[in-house]
Amino acid sequence: DGGITQSPKYLFRKEGQNVTLSCEQNLNHDAMYWYRQDPGQGLRLIYYSQIVNDFQKGDIAEGYSVSREKKESFPLTVTSAQKNPTAFYLCASSIGATHKGNEQFFGPGTRLTVL
Amino acid sequence: SQKIEQNSEALNIQEGKTATLTCNYTNYSPAYLQWYRQDPGRGPVFLLLIRENEKEKRKERLKVTFDTTLKQSLFHITASQPADSATYLCAPTDSWGKLQFGAGTQVVVTP
């Protein structure tokens, strides 16, 4: 059963702690993405990776870090430097880069709340 | 700066009618424009893609138009059903080929 999974679904964090959100896909997609969604706003791109061992900053990368050691995995770490981390985080993948018009497949999301 | 505008007010529509959503963009010329559906608490799901050289695209009860002169895309749901109730996101590609998502328009279809 192909798809993209994120875990956990809900995550609570104390201020000052780093936390890592998991994203795994078995679609054999080259490109993966992390977005943040806040109420009333569109999805904002945090980081993206078009190939293993390579990734680029998106529009709001400050306070976040990623790695892409395996094609199927693209974990996101929310660091204590992120000023307002409470949000809904979405991971996505596409068969190739979106500049070629490729659609993105999204995971179910992780809702992070900082206490 | 590049900007995408979708109507922030929910669109309330009666079952069987056609829902029409608007997506306006400014300060760039996307090569592609995608539409996604998002249900509460879930990730978006891809619906349709239209290219800059295409005027119209259809898929079952969905229709998308793309007017590069007006810098606008219209998304139509014909013969709407309560199951069509969701938020619909417009996503043009930006100058670097990345998707830029609008905030979405919520559609509520009542029986």
Side-chain angles (χ1 to χ4, degrees):
Chain A
D1 202 16
I4 182 164
T5 58
Q6 291 184 243
S7 61
K9 189 171 177 62
Y10 298 96
L11 190 57
F12 297 89
R13 185 194 97 175
K14 291 182 180 178
E15 276 193 43
Q17 287 181 337
N18 291 357
V19 64
T20 297
L21 282 59
S22 167
C23 178
E24 304 278 329
Q25 55 99 359
N26 61 3
L27 300 167
N28 200 32
H29 285 174
D30 287 318
M32 296 187 75
Y33 313 82
W34 273 106
Y35 293 92
R36 169 184 173 136
Q37 187 174 35
D38 295 282
Q41 296 191 40
L43 279 66
R44 292 185 289 168
L45 183 64
I46 305 172
Y47 268 97
Y48 64 104
S49 167
Q50 297 192 44
I51 197 167
V52 175
N53 292 321
D54 187 46
F55 49 82
Q56 288 79 40
K57 292 182 179 179
D59 300 320
I60 55 164
E62 185 176 351
Y64 299 98
S65 66
V66 293
S67 62
R68 186 85 188 276
E69 297 176 1
K70 298 187 294 182
K71 187 175 185 177
E72 57 271 22
S73 179
F74 191 41
L76 172 75
T77 297
V78 184
T79 75
S80 56
Q82 168 51 231
K83 296 288 183 260
N84 185 19
T86 295
F88 188 46
Y89 289 87
L90 287 159
C91 180
S93 69
S94 62
I95 193 165
T98 50
H99 73 266
K100 296 182 180 178
N102 293 301
E103 67 188 85
Q104 293 188 3
F105 293 78
F106 284 84
T110 292
R111 190 166 298 279
L112 173 65
T113 303
V114 174
L115 303 172
Chain B
S1 62
Q2 299 174 358
K3 193 175 176 183
I4 302 160
E5 290 182 345
Q6 292 188 257
N7 196 335
S8 58
E9 288 186 19
L11 179 63
N12 291 285
I13 192 164
Q14 198 171 18
E15 184 176 7
K17 303 291 186 185
T18 297
T20 298
L21 284 63
T22 304
C23 173
N24 295 301
Y25 56 91
T26 54
N27 296 327
Y28 70 118
S29 300
Y32 305 93
L33 192 146
Q34 301 184 14
W35 282 89
Y36 289 77
R37 168 186 172 137
Q38 186 174 24
D39 291 285
R42 307 188 74 164
V45 174
F46 172 79
L47 295 174
L48 279 167
L49 175 148
I50 189 164
R51 293 174 171 78
E52 62 179 339
N53 60 352
E54 296 176 317
K55 295 290 185 187
E56 181 179 298
K57 202 79 168 280
R58 291 175 185 261
K59 179 182 176 183
E60 298 173 350
R61 294 183 296 107
L62 307 179
K63 185 178 87 171
V64 171
T65 63
F66 195 7
D67 190 325
T68 54
T69 302
L70 291 179
K71 293 188 180 292
Q72 181 181 80
S73 175
L74 298 179
F75 178 84
H76 306 270
I77 307 171
T78 58
S80 59
Q81 304 168 0
D84 295 326
S85 298
T87 296
Y88 293 85
L89 310 177
C90 161
T93 50
D94 67 11
S95 306
W96 295 271
K98 300 193 300 298
L99 286 182
Q100 292 287 343
F101 285 85
T105 298
Q106 183 185 11
V107 173
V108 179
V109 182
T110 52

